[in-house]
Amino acid sequence: MFLNQFLMLAAALFCIGVYGVIARKNGVMVLMSIELILNAVNINLVAFSTMTGALSGQVFALFVIAVAAAEVGVGLAIVLAIFRNYKTVDLDQVDLMKG
Amino acid sequence: MIGAVLAAAQNASAPVLVAQNIAFGIIAVLMIISAIRVVTAANVVHAAAFLVVVLAGVAALFILLGAEFVAITQVLVYIGAIVVLFLFGIMLTRAPMEGTESPSRDNWAIAGATGLLLLALLGYTLWDGFGKDKIPGDLTPTDTGALSDVIFGQYLVPFEVVSLLLLAALVGAIVIARRD
């Protein structure tokens, strides 16, 4: 297997995630797109770890998974707070800080 | 892309395992299609289901790369916990279940252009930088004991910091979401 197979797939996942973060209306869906991005990073870390034989990449992938769990918890709490105050999770209507 | 990689593999001198490449191709196609559906599906519950397919595909790639412990952690934490959290979030925020209105904002064309531009840039850079690098064909699964030695030896302090981060995120999430 070529290393580039995994890196290209991860790049495609990353770009789809970026599209989702920019284009989706629903706040929960934006968090899901962030998960796509983090998973793309994990694929890269594990692929490099396997190629070089060093285990640090896998350790960092585990750290990324833990941080992603924390991020989803706080992110969903923020979305819930937005829903409580605005009665919607449509990000177009949450424009209090828009200049 | 897969076909080009396979063609290049046949010209290279080192042996390439066909079964691994076929498995990779199937997983990759499934993941890309599901990921696109995640960011385009009008029904958010369907999007969560497609997210499960993507996450399972990532776990399968980890097994293909010999990283068994990371793969199992991926299934436990992502599919087991995070997707359930997402479903709770969808349920509690009463998101639109039907495709009555567009799921995308007005700037979706710019977002798509950004994604394609980024993909072209990343693709060219990766092709240029790692075009010849191979993953060893005779790779053995990572020894979980060795992985734990690295976590609790070299990376002990970052590990403890991650524990503290999880605690802080727990408290923070409760404070933010509390009704008062």
Side-chain angles (χ1 to χ4, degrees):
Chain A
M1 288 182 290
F2 281 86
L3 178 65
N4 250 345
Q5 286 172 266
F6 293 91
L7 300 187
M8 293 280 185
L9 177 61
L13 268 189
F14 187 93
C15 296
I16 295 170
V18 167
Y19 169 80
V21 169
I22 301 176
R24 292 295 292 217
K25 265 184 186 171
N26 191 325
V28 181
M29 296 307 307
V30 171
L31 287 175
M32 280 193 203
S33 306
I34 294 176
E35 294 308 308
L36 288 183
I37 295 178
L38 290 172
N39 272 285
V41 173
N42 271 349
I43 293 174
N44 273 3
L45 286 173
V46 174
F48 276 115
S49 164
T50 304
M51 190 190 79
T52 61
L55 288 178
S56 300
Q58 296 190 24
V59 176
F60 267 90
L62 291 172
F63 284 165
V64 169
I65 291 176
V67 172
E71 171 256 324
V72 169
V74 176
L76 279 176
I78 292 173
V79 171
L80 277 184
I82 288 174
F83 179 72
R84 197 167 290 144
N85 289 322
Y86 288 87
K87 303 296 170 217
T88 179
V89 286
D90 185 344
L91 295 181
D92 279 335
Q93 297 177 33
V94 184
D95 53 1
L96 188 66
M97 290 178 72
K98 197 173 182 179
Chain B
M1 186 192 93
I2 309 291
V5 168
L6 278 175
Q10 281 167 354
N11 296 330
S13 57
V16 169
L17 293 179
V18 177
Q20 281 182 345
N21 277 314
I22 292 173
F24 177 87
I26 295 171
I27 295 167
V29 169
L30 266 178
M31 280 173 69
I32 295 293
I33 293 172
S34 303
I36 290 173
R37 293 290 295 146
V38 168
V39 295
T40 54
N43 187 326
V44 285
V45 178
H46 290 181
F50 281 113
L51 184 67
V52 171
V53 178
V54 177
L55 298 175
V58 174
L61 283 185
F62 288 164
I63 289 178
L64 203 59
L65 284 166
E68 291 176 340
F69 184 71
V70 185
I72 290 172
T73 310
Q74 169 92 7
V75 173
L76 275 178
V77 176
Y78 266 111
I79 303 178
I82 291 183
V83 170
V84 173
L85 209 57
F86 273 127
L87 289 174
F88 267 100
I90 292 168
M91 184 183 78
L92 290 173
T93 54
R94 209 174 41 196
M97 300 289 284
E98 303 298 327
T100 49
E101 55 181 285
S102 165
S104 301
R105 301 167 65 191
D106 298 333
N107 64 355
W108 64 269
I110 301 172
T114 306
L116 284 178
L117 196 68
L118 195 57
L119 183 61
L121 185 68
L122 280 174
Y124 172 73
T125 313
L126 291 175
W127 194 259
D128 200 40
F130 301 103
K132 295 280 184 286
D133 288 336
K134 279 201 175 76
I135 288 170
D138 56 342
L139 57 93
T140 51
T142 306
D143 183 14
T144 306
L147 188 62
S148 76
D149 283 344
V150 178
I151 293 179
F152 293 108
Q154 191 182 355
Y155 291 103
L156 181 61
V157 174
F159 179 78
E160 298 296 339
V161 170
V162 167
S163 329
L164 268 182
L165 174 75
L166 278 175
L167 178 67
L170 180 74
V171 176
I174 292 173
V175 169
I176 292 171
R178 192 177 55 175
R179 190 189 304 271
D180 57 358

